[in-house]
Amino acid sequence: MDTRERLVRCTQALLWERGYVGTSPAAIQKRAGVGQGSMYHHFASKSDLALAAIQRCSLQIRSLVEKQFAGDGTVYERIENYLLSERKVLRGCQIGRLTQDPDIRANPILRQPVEETFTWVRCRMMDILQEGQASGELSPQLDIEDVAEMIMSVLQGGIVLALAAGDERPYYRACKGMLSMLNLAKNQEK
């Protein structure tokens, strides 16, 4: 792995663990095993390096979500797979964590890939829900935009509740509750 790649990966990990404010250039350099000159050879500033790490994280999340949504099974099964797939709940969401960081929120350049990731996942969720309506699996009366937003809110909110409790169970209860509600939205006329 080259120096640039190590810097991006280490910054990605530190942002997840500590957030932007808590991730110093010295911590990045130490974890990556590089000196200050190497870091600034590849990136003009901490924010440039953070942007590269956030963009990488965004691509990884999109890839994972796409695999879960593009898989076999009914729409309900694919959403269930998305919500209940193995994840490090007590570490939080890599992208969701950044929304709590005041420096990320205040910097439109750093906030943009975070916002775009959530928008992409919401749009992809709406595509899946539309597919369910088109196939007759889900009720045509279902407001897919609202339901997509609710599914994402349950995932992010469940993570927050799990972190507050120091226990994964609130996350999985929230997701199972969401799935129960989605099950009720199945087309009864089918």
Side-chain angles (χ1 to χ4, degrees):
M1 182 180 350
D2 69 7
T3 302
R4 185 181 197 291
E5 180 66 18
R6 276 198 324 272
L7 286 164
V8 171
R9 284 187 185 186
C10 291
T11 302
Q12 197 175 349
L14 286 165
L15 287 173
W16 194 4
E17 293 167 18
R18 303 177 183 183
Y20 183 80
V21 172
T23 299
S24 68
I28 294 167
Q29 293 160 22
K30 182 177 181 182
R31 182 156 307 177
V34 302
Q36 185 176 4
S38 293
M39 181 174 146
Y40 290 109
H41 170 76
H42 293 284
F43 298 96
S45 65
K46 172 186 164 182
S47 64
D48 287 343
L49 176 51
L51 179 62
I54 295 167
Q55 289 170 331
R56 168 78 56 81
C57 180
S58 174
L59 290 174
Q60 290 170 338
I61 287 172
R62 289 178 190 209
S63 176
L64 179 64
V65 168
E66 188 57 41
K67 278 185 203 170
Q68 292 166 332
F69 285 166
D72 293 332
T74 65
V75 166
Y76 177 89
E77 290 167 342
R78 288 182 280 158
I79 293 172
E80 179 181 46
N81 183 42
Y82 169 69
L83 289 173
L84 300 179
S85 65
E86 187 176 323
R87 60 181 85 233
K88 296 173 180 157
V89 174
L90 294 180
R91 286 196 67 201
C93 171
Q94 282 185 309
I95 289 289
R97 182 194 195 321
L98 297 175
T99 65
Q100 300 300 311
D101 197 306
D103 285 3
I104 298 285
R105 287 194 318 262
N107 184 327
I109 293 169
L110 294 177
R111 190 180 66 243
Q112 183 178 357
V114 173
E115 184 180 340
E116 287 174 353
T117 302
F118 281 120
T119 299
W120 183 89
V121 173
R122 184 174 33 263
C123 289
R124 193 64 185 96
M125 180 71 68
M126 288 170 46
D127 292 343
I128 296 297
L129 293 166
Q130 281 178 332
E131 182 184 323
Q133 285 180 323
S135 71
E137 180 183 346
L138 297 176
S139 169
Q141 295 164 348
L142 194 68
D143 185 316
I144 59 168
E145 191 171 349
D146 290 347
V147 172
E149 195 78 43
M150 185 169 70
I151 292 169
M152 291 183 59
S153 296
V154 164
L155 186 144
Q156 291 299 320
I159 289 172
V160 169
L161 293 173
L163 289 169
D167 184 347
E168 292 183 350
R169 287 179 291 187
Y171 170 80
Y172 289 105
R173 279 196 303 269
C175 290
K176 287 176 183 175
M178 177 69 244
L179 291 166
S180 293
M181 292 179 72
L182 190 59
N183 196 39
L184 293 173
K186 288 185 177 177
N187 192 354
Q188 303 303 318
E189 298 171 10
K190 189 173 173 186

